[in-house]
Amino acid sequence: MPETIVKIDKLVKRYKELVAVDHLSLEIKEGEVFGLLGPNGSGKTTTINCLLSLLSFDKGDISIFGKPMSPTAYDIKSNIGVVMQNVAVFEELTVRENIDYFCGLYIKDKEKRRKLVNEAIAFTGLEEFEKFHPKKLSGGLLRRLNIACGIAHKPRLIIFDEPTVAVDPQSRNKILEGIIELNKQGATVIYTSHYMEEVEQICSKIAIMDKGRLITQGTLDELRSNVTCSEKITVGVRDADESILDEIRELDHVFEATLENGELVVKCSGGKHNVVRLLTLLQEQNIHIGKVTSEQPTLNTVFLELTGKELRDKN
Ligand code: ADP
Ligand code: MG
């Protein structure tokens, strides 16, 4: 069994009357890329700040690496890397000096630190810019500097809070690839985002939050299996008429079938061989089969079914 890296138990954080985090419990295991997904204002950053003891909270328990977290738990903190939502670097220091400063908070040995800073610069592709001051860097490069500052000391747990907001697609892909690479090198990662595509792409475990509450959690497959429509199959059919629909609706797992403009749309609730069963039926009926697609639900479908709202298009 992988070790538990983070355990949050019934965390409650209020800002006056507003309950920003509402009895949230999460467990994050060694080696996971754990996605915390939720619309803006759902309590992701507040949760991270409580986790890091940067913010006091009203109720609940938090332990990291099996020990209780506290503002003075420096042995725990030295094994955590943080890349916050807002870029936080020193304007008067160069790229290299910034990374060296943050790394120096944890690594006192100069020679060891020089090696780690070099590795962080290479990892984030900032070699050409190491003598630049932050104000000379583009948004994407600034994000990369922010990441280099957070990871240079090679922490066991790395927390990324919306690292791709307002980042161009190229830098965004670089950041996501970098996170996967850090995970491969052994880091456990917590990744918050309101972009479900990113979370689907890189996270091995996902927790969805809304209004401070945990709505659901699991692997992507587990979350998908909880929604009613777990597969949507479309088939181009030239010569079918509506009489086929009744037979399709009799198939196992099918709960909806429609035919419009020569396109058959069949929604299924689980099951592994829905496409095969459907195509076999069409073949038996001598129906000409055109383009076939099978779509699995996205996290948006999951969010929509559980909350009645769209996760997409929130900024
Ligand atoms: P997210 O990171 O998911 O966008 P936040 O944790 O930033 O969400 O915010 C959760 C809720 O708490 C929001 O309603 C936000 O307006 C509120 N909030 C966040 N920080 C503060 C603060 N310092 N004082 C008062 N309310 C806050
Ligand atoms: Mg936030």
Side-chain angles (χ1 to χ4, degrees):
M1 271 297 274
E3 201 179 320
T4 297
I5 296 289
V6 173
K7 193 163 161 50
I8 301 178
D9 196 28
K10 302 190 199 76
L11 176 69
V12 177
K13 170 64 191 176
R14 294 196 187 89
Y15 297 110
K16 301 209 172 96
E17 295 84 53
L18 178 83
V19 185
V21 179
D22 192 357
H23 294 89
L24 180 77
S25 297
L26 296 175
E27 203 170 319
I28 298 162
K29 302 272 188 196
E30 174 119 66
E32 284 179 346
V33 178
F34 191 95
L36 196 54
L37 179 72
N40 270 345
S42 54
K44 303 181 296 295
T45 300
T46 303
T47 302
I48 298 301
N49 285 333
C50 292
L51 185 67
L52 293 167
S53 277
L54 297 173
L55 204 58
S56 64
F57 44 92
D58 298 270
K59 275 192 208 164
D61 290 298
I62 294 176
S63 62
I64 304 183
F65 310 129
K67 296 179 212 155
M69 183 59 175
S70 74
T72 53
Y74 300 113
D75 53 333
I76 297 180
K77 289 190 174 185
S78 65
N79 274 303
I80 305 179
V82 188
V83 180
M84 282 308 221
Q85 198 167 352
N86 300 316
V87 174
V89 293
F90 295 104
E91 291 298 336
E92 62 276 23
L93 300 182
T94 64
V95 163
R96 172 174 283 275
E97 287 163 351
N98 262 295
I99 303 169
D100 187 63
Y101 171 82
F102 286 100
C103 190
L105 297 176
Y106 311 101
I107 310 288
K108 299 300 170 197
D109 182 283
K110 268 195 181 159
E111 199 42 47
K112 192 172 172 200
R113 195 162 78 229
R114 204 176 60 83
K115 190 166 161 277
L116 289 172
V117 171
N118 284 341
E119 282 175 22
I121 288 174
F123 185 78
T124 47
L126 288 169
E127 292 97 334
E128 290 170 53
F129 309 99
E130 61 171 270
K131 294 204 172 66
F132 281 45
H133 283 84
K135 63 173 174 299
K136 288 261 179 73
L137 301 178
S138 68
L141 289 172
L142 256 184
R143 286 274 170 185
R144 274 145 69 178
L145 172 58
N146 205 37
I147 292 172
C149 292
I151 63 157
H153 61 296
K154 297 232 162 80
R156 209 174 147 196
L157 170 66
I158 310 178
I159 301 175
F160 291 91
D161 192 11
E162 308 235 20
T164 60
V165 168
V167 160
D168 63 279
Q170 202 187 345
S171 289
R172 179 180 159 175
N173 280 334
K174 267 233 147 63
I175 291 172
L176 296 178
E177 282 165 18
I179 291 172
I180 291 172
E181 184 54 35
L182 288 166
N183 177 248
K184 276 196 192 143
Q185 292 173 8
T188 301
V189 174
I190 301 180
Y191 185 87
T192 85
S193 182
H194 65 268
Y195 297 125
M196 67 209 129
E197 295 85 357
E198 294 185 348
V199 171
E200 288 187 6
Q201 196 180 331
I202 67 165
C203 296
S204 54
K205 211 52 191 304
I206 299 160
I208 304 184
M209 285 182 80
D210 187 37
K211 295 184 185 148
R213 294 199 196 118
L214 179 72
I215 296 175
T216 183
Q217 64 173 323
T219 62
L220 184 56
D221 282 343
E222 283 164 357
L223 297 186
R224 279 172 170 159
S225 71
N226 284 338
V227 295
T228 324
C229 177
S230 66
E231 188 175 10
K232 181 178 153 192
I233 306 166
T234 58
V235 186
V237 284
R238 271 203 309 247
D239 42 8
D241 61 62
E242 299 226 339
S243 60
I244 188 76
L245 293 178
D246 282 338
E247 274 183 77
I248 293 172
R249 289 180 191 126
E250 293 292 307
L251 291 174
D252 281 350
H253 305 295
V254 170
F255 71 92
E256 197 183 301
T258 55
L259 178 64
E260 223 171 281
N261 303 326
E263 190 179 67
L264 185 63
V265 177
V266 179
K267 292 184 179 173
C268 308
S269 60
K272 286 205 168 89
H273 307 292
N274 297 320
V275 175
V276 175
R277 265 193 293 267
L278 177 62
L279 296 184
T280 306
L281 175 74
L282 295 176
Q283 187 188 30
E284 282 164 7
Q285 301 286 328
N286 261 328
I287 291 170
H288 180 269
I289 298 169
K291 186 180 170 193
V292 179
T293 63
S294 160
E295 287 167 58
Q296 295 213 302
T298 65
L299 284 175
N300 192 49
T301 330
V302 177
F303 191 80
L304 183 64
E305 278 209 11
L306 294 169
T307 66
K309 306 185 291 198
E310 291 277 337
L311 181 59
R312 200 182 279 283
D313 296 328
K314 291 262 170 75
N315 51 35

